[in-house]
Amino acid sequence: MRDSDVKPRAEELEKEPPFPLTEVDKWVLSQTDEEFHLHDWDELRVIIATNALETLKRKPSDLRRYMAWSHEIKGQYGSMTNYILQHRLPWGPPPFKYVSSIPFHDPSDFKILRNDWPYGLTPDITHIVVWSKTPIATEDVNGDVTEESRKIIQDFVDRTFVKRLGEDSYRVMWFKNWVRLQSVRALEHVHVLVKDASKEDLEFWTGEKA
């Protein structure tokens, strides 16, 4: 989709967005890409360590494109979930049948993909999403992952991503959005950020050409 295709509808989409805009979204849309501050690795470490996930932002132009894309997708498929299941995760309709009740334990129960709509990150950072058929337990109060889930996810990230990079754990971080922050709530997923990932690394993890 070209900028010229999005621009004429930008004001309409901001008045009637395809999803609820947060105050952070509204602030981002008031900026230009040149004014926007990209998230760098050190900043992301602080955001994830303090669980301040609501501060993660897309670039203004990317957010507008994402809004336009979401509008088109909902018009064609009814929901983003339907689109993802038809084009990115050919698992059939939920609830999914999974092999293991432990998330990320059996390779057939998850799929690793690059994020089609990453946050506004510096160019050295790759945003990956790991989709799971197996439910990931969360706390009832705030929708954050339980301590057991956190350990399961960390073990998976270590053996899948960190090990591939020669045990260089500094180059890998992960997070799972709280339930209220998720844009695709019907499908379980975890975000993984990798610093200085090579083309070969990305193809190894995703099975797709980088």
Side-chain angles (χ1 to χ4, degrees):
M1 182 176 290
R2 298 170 301 172
D3 286 348
S4 59
D5 296 327
V6 175
K7 196 171 182 180
R9 294 210 317 274
E11 291 186 5
E12 293 177 38
L13 290 171
E14 289 179 35
K15 290 179 181 177
E16 296 184 25
F19 49 82
L21 295 178
T22 66
E23 291 304 311
V24 171
D25 289 332
K26 294 174 185 176
W27 176 68
V28 168
L29 291 170
S30 72
Q31 302 178 63
T32 64
D33 280 3
E34 291 70 28
E35 293 170 329
F36 182 81
H37 167 73
L38 294 172
H39 298 295
D40 62 24
W41 196 248
D42 289 338
E43 180 185 2
L44 289 167
R45 290 180 71 86
V46 173
I47 289 172
I48 293 172
T50 57
N51 215 14
L53 304 178
E54 72 280 5
T55 62
L56 291 169
K57 305 174 287 293
R58 292 183 175 88
K59 287 195 309 183
S61 60
D62 286 344
L63 178 55
R64 289 189 176 91
R65 290 191 188 95
Y66 183 57
M67 290 167 65
W69 178 83
S70 298
H71 176 79
E72 296 288 341
I73 289 301
K74 288 182 178 181
Q76 291 182 42
Y77 296 90
S79 70
M80 292 170 62
T81 297
N82 290 339
Y83 169 82
I84 291 170
L85 288 174
Q86 289 185 42
H87 294 278
R88 301 296 274 157
L89 301 175
W91 291 343
F96 305 118
K97 292 182 179 179
Y98 44 85
V99 174
S100 176
S101 60
I102 302 173
F104 311 116
H105 184 73
D106 190 284
S108 67
D109 289 337
F110 64 86
K111 189 170 182 59
I112 302 171
L113 296 171
R114 293 186 70 169
N115 192 339
D116 294 329
W117 296 99
Y119 293 112
L121 312 175
T122 53
D124 58 323
I125 302 169
T126 302
H127 190 169
I128 292 169
V129 180
V130 186
W131 302 89
S132 174
K133 291 182 184 179
T134 310
I136 301 171
T138 57
E139 301 284 359
D140 293 333
V141 177
N142 58 10
D144 196 5
V145 292
T146 63
E147 286 304 312
E148 182 180 8
S149 292
R150 190 172 297 279
K151 183 179 185 307
I152 289 171
I153 297 168
Q154 186 64 61
D155 288 346
F156 164 72
V157 169
D158 287 345
R159 69 176 182 267
T160 304
F161 297 96
V162 175
K163 185 177 180 180
R164 167 78 183 178
L165 299 175
E167 307 297 333
D168 191 354
S169 61
Y170 177 80
R171 292 171 55 195
V172 183
M173 292 187 284
W174 70 269
F175 64 93
K176 185 179 187 302
N177 275 328
W178 320 323
V179 173
R180 68 178 177 83
L181 295 177
Q182 293 173 0
S183 57
V184 187
R185 295 187 180 183
L187 303 175
E188 290 281 20
H189 58 285
V190 170
H191 298 264
V192 178
L193 304 176
V194 183
K195 182 176 173 59
D196 298 322
S198 70
K199 179 180 177 181
E200 291 74 23
D201 291 331
L202 295 175
E203 290 179 0
F204 175 83
W205 289 320
T206 66
E208 298 180 335
K209 289 292 184 181

